[in-house]
Amino acid sequence: MTLAPQTLEHVRALEAAFHQRRPFEVKRSAVPLGAWDTDVLQVGAGPALLHGILLAQQGWRVTVADRRKVGQAHREWNISGPELEPLVQHGVLTREQVASLVVAQYRHGIIHWHGGKRRVVNRVLDHALDAGRVMELLVARGKESGIAFLEGHRWSGLTVHPNGVVVAFETDHGPLTVTARLVLDATGSSSPFADFDLACPTVGGVMEGLEEGTGDHQVDSTVGEILVSTEGVEEGRQHIWEGFPASSTAYTVYLFYYEQPHRVPADCLQALYRRFFETLPRYKRGDARLLRPTYGIIPGHTRLKPGGVSPADRVLRVGDSAARQSPLTFCGFGSLVRSCGPSTAAVGRLLESNTLDQHALNGTWQEPPQLRMMGVLALMMMERGAFVADPQGVNRLLEVAFATLENAGPDAFERFVRDQATPAEVMSFLLRLGRTYPAVFKDVARNVSFKDIAAWTVQAGRALAGA
Ligand SMILES: Cc1cc2nc3c(=O)[nH]c(=O)nc-3n(C[C@H](O)[C@H](O)[C@H](O)COP(=O)(O)OP(=O)(O)OC[C@H]3O[C@@H](n4cnc5c(N)ncnc54)[C@H](O)[C@@H]3O)c2cc1C
């Protein structure tokens, strides 16, 4: 199996955009703007378009610019069923439209670390969506709400004035500027303002021809495989598989690893695709064909250092550029759907009162406290130099962690994987883990630095105190 030339070209462009991202120098001017082209300028028309739509629905003039054609999706999204509800509640899509997005639904999910037990978890990421149709409906809804779309616009700088922002773009027809009261940075992992401290290169896609059945190396269209490893640390990384039914005949497979952003290789996606094709038989058997490749570098955040969502007055990061993914599954689409309602309601109030300074904008995102405690868990799924001589170390650590979660009962297990455990439950899980498997502290200490543990203790204290 190989990638088509245009896919390879896009893969290379994504790698380059990730590695060449440079923070913009935010220019400042004391001269007020006379007028604005738009109230809100959103740069980036991925699924974070939800933000622009909700603001347009509030009555603000919204413009959305993208360097490519708007509404392009090169991914597939899985989401837990109830997480789709906000799309209907906020009037973005009708219930019928939401139902039409679901291309497959599975009975239960499994988590299986190499050498460990195959564990069942229910109602987690159990709905597979047609990402192309999601984007098609969002763009249509955006147009109905009055959004003006600008395609082929690559932003190249911005100047913040006392009452607005001038954003510079490069286009095929030369440079141009757009003025706005507020700018939403929705440019994903290539954002010039992204300050994520984790990265998750992910490759795979929708496949046909995999052997069907209920064995570990077969695909079962009623089961989703949420986290699976087929070996220990190799090439310095703990690789993880995911597999979801995509329709009655197709199956989506991903291979990914968690990494510190500065250690992500320049050709990370191409190298991971080579490994994907080589090692797929360790995961699933069959005469596989890649129908639709899906790939990207998902940014994440350990929450060990306080991160704001506003890099400057009148500029707000949303979606992947704010790195607000699920700490365990790194699902950013689900996180966007969950958070866009409260976040845009708060932004609307600030636009109303014209209070768009950095401090006020940072207050528009109130992260659920348990996420502040769980962000660090991704570090446990990542090789950080401690397990080279002990390749099974990450699997062993994850096996005992998930055994402890399973022992808490199916409901608690499910809520934990869906990021819904309370801070007290997260704490109780960690204490039980330490009591049942005291050796876990040695493993954690090998992979997580003292500084990380100290930062986490502060975060946990705040989350438990409800601060
Ligand atoms: C392979 C893969 C599988 C995934 N599976 C799931 C899943 O099952 N469930 C889930 O919840 N999440 C999943 N995710 C995560 C999800 O796709 C992201 O969280 C989501 O796409 C983030 O949306 P976004 O709009 O913030 O950013 P993006 O989707 O990255 O969109 C960014 C947009 O900005 C544009 N842009 C970038 N730079 C510029 C620039 N300089 N000027 C103008 N425009 C620019 C890009 O063209 C793009 O349209 C997956 C991600 C990957 C890579």
Side-chain angles (χ1 to χ4, degrees):
M1 275 183 287
T2 49
L3 297 176
Q6 72 270 32
T7 305
L8 196 54
E9 195 186 318
H10 187 228
V11 162
R12 288 187 178 131
L14 282 187
E15 289 168 342
F18 178 81
H19 285 285
Q20 290 161 11
R21 68 188 190 285
R22 299 273 176 275
F24 283 159
E25 183 207 341
V26 178
K27 296 187 190 130
R28 290 192 169 74
S29 163
V31 182
L33 296 173
W36 311 278
D37 299 320
T38 185
D39 291 313
V40 179
L41 171 62
Q42 171 167 344
V43 189
L49 176 56
L50 271 171
H51 285 262
I53 293 173
L54 291 185
L55 289 169
Q57 288 182 175
Q58 290 174 21
W60 303 107
R61 284 181 307 154
V62 177
T63 301
V64 176
D66 199 288
R67 63 184 172 190
R68 303 173 79 208
K69 215 164 137 9
V70 301
Q72 303 248 50
H74 52 88
R75 293 161 185 184
E76 301 298 317
W77 294 310
N78 267 74
I79 190 164
S80 311
E83 287 183 335
L84 287 166
E85 200 49 34
L87 293 173
V88 179
Q89 276 167 6
H90 299 312
V92 176
L93 300 180
T94 62
R95 202 164 286 288
E96 293 69 34
Q97 284 174 323
V98 168
S100 76
L101 299 175
V102 180
V103 289
Q105 201 180 333
Y106 59 77
R107 204 163 20 94
H108 64 254
I110 64 142
I111 294 175
H112 190 185
W113 303 111
H114 184 232
K117 184 181 160 192
R118 198 176 152 93
R119 300 197 159 76
V120 169
V121 60
N122 293 312
R123 291 179 285 274
V124 176
L125 302 179
D126 54 352
H127 288 60
L129 304 185
D130 176 342
R133 180 150 172 79
V134 173
M135 290 313 302
E136 193 186 302
L137 290 179
L138 290 186
V139 172
R141 181 73 196 121
K143 286 182 179 159
E144 276 165 27
S145 327
I147 293 181
F149 286 100
L150 302 173
E151 299 188 330
H153 281 55
R154 175 186 293 275
W155 77 341
S156 51
L158 81 173
T159 308
V160 179
H161 292 251
N163 61 345
V165 188
V166 179
V167 178
F169 287 100
E170 287 159 14
T171 75
D172 288 347
H173 312 290
L176 62 79
T177 55
V178 178
T179 53
R181 292 175 61 206
L182 173 70
V183 173
L184 300 186
D185 168 16
T187 56
S189 60
S190 58
S191 159
F193 297 116
D195 70 346
F196 47 88
D197 58 3
L198 289 170
C200 176
T202 304
V203 303
V206 180
M207 312 196 83
E208 257 184 2
L210 293 166
E211 197 176 295
E212 287 177 35
T214 52
D216 279 4
H217 298 292
Q218 295 173 312
V219 299
D220 179 345
S221 65
T222 65
V223 176
E225 304 199 345
I226 298 167
L227 296 164
V228 173
S229 60
T230 51
E231 68 279 307
V233 170
E234 286 185 5
E235 300 171 9
R237 302 203 171 88
Q238 179 61 60
H239 293 89
I240 301 174
W241 295 96
E242 260 185 333
F244 298 108
S247 70
S248 54
T249 54
Y251 200 79
T252 302
V253 180
Y254 293 128
L255 180 65
F256 64 91
Y257 58 86
Y258 296 111
E259 188 54 283
Q260 292 161 287
H262 68 275
R263 292 185 56 192
V264 170
D267 65 343
C268 59
L269 298 178
Q270 295 174 71
L272 195 55
Y273 258 124
R274 280 195 293 278
R275 185 179 173 96
F276 178 90
F277 295 135
E278 268 165 37
T279 62
L280 180 65
R282 291 189 198 171
Y283 178 47
K284 297 293 173 197
R285 286 197 296 257
D287 184 15
R289 286 177 306 284
L290 185 58
L291 296 182
R292 204 164 51 249
T294 45
Y295 43 84
I297 305 168
I298 311 177
H301 192 218
T302 57
R303 284 81 168 168
L304 290 176
K305 61 180 170 73
V309 281
S310 170
D313 290 348
R314 296 182 178 271
V315 184
L316 179 66
R317 294 185 290 129
V318 295
D320 269 13
S321 87
R324 293 295 172 209
Q325 285 73 6
S326 156
L328 278 183
T329 59
F330 262 46
C331 280
F333 174 69
S335 152
L336 260 169
V337 179
R338 283 196 295 237
S339 62
C340 63
S343 166
T344 49
V347 172
R349 287 192 292 274
L350 295 185
L351 279 163
E352 198 82 59
S353 61
N354 203 19
T355 321
L356 296 164
D357 60 88
Q358 190 173 7
H359 176 73
L361 288 171
N362 276 331
T364 58
W365 172 247
Q366 304 296 337
E367 184 159 61
Q370 68 275 18
L371 294 190
R372 281 187 259 147
M373 292 174 78
M374 290 170 67
V376 74
L377 296 181
L379 291 180
M380 296 191 193
M381 299 198 238
M382 180 167 110
E383 156 59 7
R384 296 174 90 199
F387 288 121
V388 176
D390 176 14
Q392 281 302 330
V394 178
N395 281 314
R396 194 177 52 240
L397 182 55
L398 291 169
E399 177 63 18
V400 294
F402 279 83
T404 307
L405 280 178
E406 188 185 34
N407 290 341
D411 195 44
F413 188 12
E414 185 183 316
R415 283 186 303 105
F416 203 95
V417 185
R418 279 213 309 251
D419 302 334
Q420 291 169 333
T422 62
E425 283 175 319
V426 177
M427 197 53 158
S428 139
F429 152 71
L430 292 169
L431 293 174
R432 268 183 293 119
L433 178 61
R435 246 194 336 264
T436 329
Y437 305 97
V440 78
F441 290 120
K442 206 172 82 208
D443 278 351
V444 169
R446 286 203 302 177
N447 218 20
V448 181
S449 71
F450 178 74
K451 204 168 136 223
D452 291 340
I453 294 171
W456 181 86
T457 308
V458 173
Q459 288 286 22
R462 285 203 192 119
L464 286 165

